[in-house]
Amino acid sequence: MIKHIFSLGLILVFTTSCAGQKQTEVTYKEKKEIQNSVNSYDDAKPKLVVGLVVDQMRYDYLTRFYNKFGEGGFKRMINEGFSCKNNHFNYVPTYTGPGHASVYTGTTPKYHGVIANYWYDKEEKKMVYCAGDDSVESVGTKHNAGKMSPYRMQTTTFADENRLFSQMRGKTIGISLKDRGAILPAGHTANAAYWFHGQDEGVWVSSSFYMKTLPKWVTDFNTSDVAESYFKEWNTLYDISTYTESGSDYNTFEGGFKGKDRATFPYDLAELKDQNKGFDLLKATPYGNSLTTDFAIAAIEGEQLGKDDITDVLAVSFSSTDYVGHNFGVNSKEIEDTYIRLDKDIERLFTYLDAQVGVGEYTVFLTADHGVVDVPSYLSSVRIPAGYVNNNDRKEKFTAFLMETYGTKDILEHISNNQIFLDRAKIKQMGLNLEDVQQAIVNEQISYSHIAKAYTANTMSSTNFTTGIESLLQNGFNQKRSGDVIVVNDVAFISYGKTGSTHGSGLNYDTHVPLLFFGKGIKHGETLKKTEISDIAPTISALLGISFPNGAIGQPLEFVMK
C-alpha cells in the first residue's frame, strides 16, 4: 500500500508489499492529496520574518514600563503573541557582538566564535573587531566605517539557511545603527546589511562584501533630510511628573552630554551636536531608534520584502537603548522615555507591515542582545553590594607577581575581556609547564579584591560543567580564540566610570531578557519555563521548515507555535 509521510513540508511516498503483491501506482486522488498538503504547508509559512533585537533591554523594562506603553507595540506582541518570561543568555560574556550572533545562529561563542565585540587574536597578535574586515571596501562613505563583513563568525544564521533552502530567492536584509548589529544577524549570504555612519555625514552605509554601490532607495533616503530632522529638542514624551517608574531627573549617577552642565531634560540636540560628534549624538537619544525604524520601513518598500510566497528575513536591531543605557543608567528618566518612544516606533513598524505585507502574513520575534547592571554607585547608595574594579591596579600587582615568580613579565601577552593571554612560546622556551603556569595565575588572581572566581583554559577544555557560572563560562569559551585564564568579578562590580553602566557578566541582570513571538504561526500565551537565547533560531527554522543553523545547540520552542 502507498504511505505518505508529511514532516516539516517534506513528503515521502514509498511502496510496501501487500499480500505478496507490490503496488506502485499513485492515483490521481492521492496525488492531489499530496499536492494539497504541500500547498497547505507553504500557506502556513510567513511571507516575512522580522527579527527585532533591542540592545541592552533587561526583561524588567517590559514589565516596569508596561503601563506607559500603547496598545500597538510591546503590548500587541504580548496580547496577541507568546511571551517567554524566563528567557536567559546561556553564556558569558554578554556583549553586543556575541549576543546578536547567538540569537541568529542558535549557538554560543564556543561554536560561532564571536567571543566579544573586540578580542585579542592569538595568531595575529593584535586586537580584532568582530565585524572588521580589511579585505573589503566601504560603500556609501569614504570613511573606513564600511570595511566590515561577517567572516569572523564561523557558523550560519537561520537567515543563511533560509537563503540556502529557497535557492537564494528569499531575501535577507540587516539593519542597525551599529555595524555588528546589522551584519552578524544577516549572516554570510545576506543580500545586504546597512548601518549608520554618523559624525559629519549621517548616512546609511554598507560594504563591498554585499554590493558595489548603494541601491537607489538607500541613496534617496541618505539625500533626504530625515536624519537632520531629528536634531531637535529631546524632552519627555509625557509630563515628566508621570515618570514614576524611574528615579529623580537630577542625580549624580548619570553621564549626560558635553555642552550641558546637568544631565536633565530637556536636551537641545541642535545646540549640542557640534560638541558630541555631530550625527553620532542621535545614536544616544531615542531618535536613533526612530531613524532606524524610518530606514527599516524604507527597506521593506525598496526591497519589496514579503511581497511573494518565498519567505524573506528582515533583521532590525535598535541600538539607541544601549547608548542611552550606558550614558544614563537603568534607573534614569532618560531610559524610561527611550522605551516609551521605542514602543511607538515598534507600533509604527507593525502598522506599516499590516498594510504592506498583510495582517497575519508576517512573523516577528523580539529579544535583546544582553541586559545591564544598575549603576553600581546608585546600588551602593541604597546599601546593595556593588562597586568598581581598577584594572590598572590589578595589572600592576599581577606584573609584580610574574617578576617575583618567573623573573620576567614577558610570559604575559595580553589582558582583555577578563581574560589573560600568555606567550606560550616564551613559556616553552623557559622550560615551564603551561598548565602549571595557568594554575599558578589562577591561585594568584583569586586572591585579588573583587575577583570571585578564576579558571584555567585547561579546566574549560577538560571539565564538563552543566550548571552555574562555570557552565556559562564554558559556553562562551572558544578553545582557539579565548585566553589562558578567565576571571569573574564580584556581583555588581564593574570596570567602568562612576556614572552610567555596562554589562558582560553571567548574572541575571545581564542574562534575563525578553523573548516575544508574534504573528503567523504563533500561539497566544506565556510561559515561565526557562528558555535560552539559543532556542530562537531553531524555533524560527522549525516554523519555516528549513535546516537549523549548522552550529545550533538550542531546541525549537514548540509550545509557542500553532
Side-chain angles (χ1 to χ4, degrees), residues 390-461:
N390 188 316
N391 286 331
N392 290 330
D393 288 349
R394 279 185 182 175
K395 186 173 182 180
E396 184 177 336
K397 188 174 182 179
F398 181 48
T399 301
F401 160 78
L402 294 176
M403 291 297 297
E404 180 181 346
T405 306
Y406 301 106
T408 179
K409 62 180 181 180
D410 292 345
I411 64 171
L412 174 63
E413 196 165 273
H414 184 79
I415 300 177
S416 63
N417 297 314
N418 291 324
Q419 298 184 38
I420 298 170
F421 295 81
L422 301 177
D423 186 333
R424 297 189 174 192
K426 179 70 173 178
I427 289 173
K428 185 177 182 180
Q429 179 186 347
M430 292 175 65
L432 300 172
N433 180 279
L434 177 62
E435 292 179 15
D436 290 344
V437 175
Q438 290 176 346
Q439 189 58 52
I441 291 172
V442 164
N443 295 341
E444 171 69 10
Q445 290 285 322
I446 201 66
S447 70
Y448 295 171
S449 296
H450 306 307
I451 288 184
K453 294 178 181 292
Y455 297 94
T456 68
N458 182 59
T459 299
M460 288 291 111
S461 300

Side-chain angles (χ1 to χ4, degrees), residues 249-494:
D249 191 28
Y250 178 64
N251 58 72
T252 60
F253 312 120
E254 302 173 8
F257 300 118
K258 291 180 180 179
K260 193 173 190 303
D261 293 338
R262 291 166 57 149
T264 56
F265 283 107
Y267 298 94
D268 187 336
L269 302 184
E271 184 179 295
L272 294 171
K273 67 176 182 177
D274 291 341
Q275 298 181 66
N276 293 273
K277 299 183 179 179
F279 283 96
D280 280 348
L281 174 61
L282 296 180
K283 299 177 182 180
T285 76
Y287 299 140
N289 289 334
S290 299
L291 180 62
T292 302
T293 307
D294 296 335
F295 191 75
I297 288 172
I300 295 167
E301 180 179 354
E303 298 291 341
Q304 291 292 286
L305 300 181
K307 287 298 186 180
D308 57 31
D309 293 331
I310 302 171
T311 304
D312 298 321
V313 175
L314 175 64
V316 180
S317 177
F318 292 108
S319 305
S320 290
T321 43
D322 185 69
Y323 290 109
V324 175
H326 278 295
N327 191 357
F328 296 97
V330 172
N331 204 44
S332 63
K333 301 289 188 193
E334 286 80 1
I335 205 71
E336 178 168 1
D337 192 67
T338 297
Y339 277 91
I340 290 171
R341 291 177 180 272
L342 175 60
D343 180 63
K344 299 292 185 186
D345 283 321
I346 292 173
E347 179 176 3
R348 182 159 60 97
L349 177 61
F350 289 169
T351 299
Y352 184 82
L353 288 168
D354 288 343
Q356 296 300 313
V357 181
V359 177
E361 294 296 334
Y362 61 92
T363 303
V364 182
F365 70 83
L366 182 147
T367 190
D369 57 348
H370 53 73
V372 62
V373 65
D374 217 325
V375 180
S377 56
Y378 167 69
L379 293 177
S380 295
S381 75
V382 293
R383 297 183 292 187
I384 292 175
Y388 300 88
V389 299
N390 188 316
N391 286 331
N392 290 330
D393 288 349
R394 279 185 182 175
K395 186 173 182 180
E396 184 177 336
K397 188 174 182 179
F398 181 48
T399 301
F401 160 78
L402 294 176
M403 291 297 297
E404 180 181 346
T405 306
Y406 301 106
T408 179
K409 62 180 181 180
D410 292 345
I411 64 171
L412 174 63
E413 196 165 273
H414 184 79
I415 300 177
S416 63
N417 297 314
N418 291 324
Q419 298 184 38
I420 298 170
F421 295 81
L422 301 177
D423 186 333
R424 297 189 174 192
K426 179 70 173 178
I427 289 173
K428 185 177 182 180
Q429 179 186 347
M430 292 175 65
L432 300 172
N433 180 279
L434 177 62
E435 292 179 15
D436 290 344
V437 175
Q438 290 176 346
Q439 189 58 52
I441 291 172
V442 164
N443 295 341
E444 171 69 10
Q445 290 285 322
I446 201 66
S447 70
Y448 295 171
S449 296
H450 306 307
I451 288 184
K453 294 178 181 292
Y455 297 94
T456 68
N458 182 59
T459 299
M460 288 291 111
S461 300
S462 61
T463 306
N464 183 32
F465 297 107
T466 57
T467 60
I469 189 69
E470 293 80 7
S471 175
L472 302 185
L473 289 169
Q474 195 165 55
N475 284 337
F477 181 83
N478 185 284
Q479 198 169 4
K480 292 277 285 187
R481 294 181 173 181
S482 298
D484 289 276
V485 172
I486 303 173
V487 300
V488 179
N489 290 323
D490 281 347
V491 176
F493 275 76
I494 61 175

